[in-house]
Amino acid sequence: MKNSSLRALNSWSAVASVARNRFECVEQKANPKRRRRFALPAHCSTKRALNHSVVTRAVSTVLATLLSVFFLSCNTGDASLGATQSPLFTQAFGPAITVTGGPSNVVVGDMNKDGKPDLVVTSGQARTITVLLGAGGSDVRFRGTGGSALTVSDSPGEMVLGDVNGDTNLDVAFVTHDSYGVTILLGDGKGGLGLAANSPIVMKKGQHPHTHGLAIGDLNGDGKLDLSP
């Protein structure tokens, strides 16, 4: 495949060079009074000047060959077109995780500080946020925290995790599509969440909110987490 690509590229360079010289010849023959910026090629003659359509067809053929080689070589990442590509993921063992209320977004973090990843899931239709504690290891099962899902005032959208109040527990921040506010839910270190006293935080003023996306990080280098919707 690589040799074919090199041969096609060499053919393209040759045809392009010939086409350039032939067009110079044709142009000079058609406009003999036009001032020449360079010497007319020695081989330029009426009998040997190629027709414009012939050159165009030759260039189109070579270009089509190059495109074919390119797409075929990118088909599987190697020269073997019949190779079977291995799947990136496999189905985890166990039943699917069921969350009611129209689940839409999910983030992963250690919500109860046991060193195992947990899931935090938003349900836009029910306006709830659910924490599912992970068993860890090869066991991919998750369980609820024992209480009902936390109900919020607006339909939750994108969310992020971070320790926003410095108590070493992961907290949740989420935005709502139809609001400029960011809601903060403080974690208790056991998987539970509670609404922060100053929440929601209005990030800007406006009449037509259309909020998408939320990021968290120390943006000003003061050691405190900042939010950017």
Side-chain angles (χ1 to χ4, degrees):
M1 186 64 70
K2 292 183 179 179
N3 292 333
S4 300
S5 300
L6 291 176
R7 287 196 296 270
L9 184 59
N10 291 333
S11 299
W12 164 255
S13 300
V15 171
S17 177
V18 172
R20 183 176 65 253
N21 292 332
R22 294 302 186 269
F23 280 127
E24 292 171 359
C25 296
V26 173
E27 182 182 6
Q28 187 62 34
K29 296 296 182 181
N31 302 282
K33 296 182 179 181
R34 184 175 179 181
R35 182 180 178 183
R36 285 187 258 176
R37 291 177 296 177
F38 42 79
L40 193 66
H43 62 273
C44 182
S45 64
T46 303
K47 293 182 179 180
R48 298 184 61 187
L50 295 179
N51 183 275
H52 179 276
S53 61
V54 174
V55 176
T56 301
R57 286 196 297 270
V59 173
S60 300
T61 300
V62 174
L63 183 58
T65 302
L66 286 174
L67 290 175
S68 298
V69 171
F70 172 77
F71 285 115
L72 286 175
S73 63
C74 293
N75 186 47
T76 59
D78 54 31
S80 178
L81 299 180
T84 302
Q85 192 171 18
S86 300
L88 296 177
F89 300 95
T90 57
Q91 179 67 40
F93 178 77
I97 302 171
T98 301
V99 178
T100 61
S104 52
N105 294 285
V106 59
V107 290
V108 181
D110 186 5
M111 300 300 296
N112 59 348
K113 304 170 73 171
D114 63 353
K116 303 171 185 177
D118 309 309
L119 302 179
V120 183
V121 185
T122 64
S123 296
Q125 296 177 3
R127 296 187 177 185
T128 59
I129 292 182
T130 304
V131 177
L132 300 173
L133 302 179
S138 59
D139 192 341
V140 295
R141 292 177 297 178
F142 291 84
R143 59 180 177 82
T145 57
S148 59
L150 179 66
T151 301
V152 293
S153 58
D154 296 310
S155 177
E158 289 85 356
M159 61 178 168
V160 293
L161 298 180
D163 181 13
V164 298
N165 61 349
D167 64 353
T168 72
N169 300 327
L170 279 181
D171 309 307
V172 176
F174 71 87
V175 293
T176 301
H177 180 268
D178 298 324
S179 171
Y180 288 122
V182 176
T183 302
I184 306 294
L185 304 176
L186 300 179
D188 61 3
K190 301 177 182 179
L193 295 171
L195 185 66
N198 59 340
S199 185
I201 303 171
V202 179
M203 307 300 287
K204 62 176 291 185
K205 294 182 179 180
Q207 300 298 324
H208 304 286
H210 190 75
T211 305
H212 285 283
L214 180 64
I216 188 170
D218 184 7
L219 301 180
N220 58 351
D222 64 353
K224 302 175 182 178
L225 291 179
D226 309 305
L227 295 171
S228 177

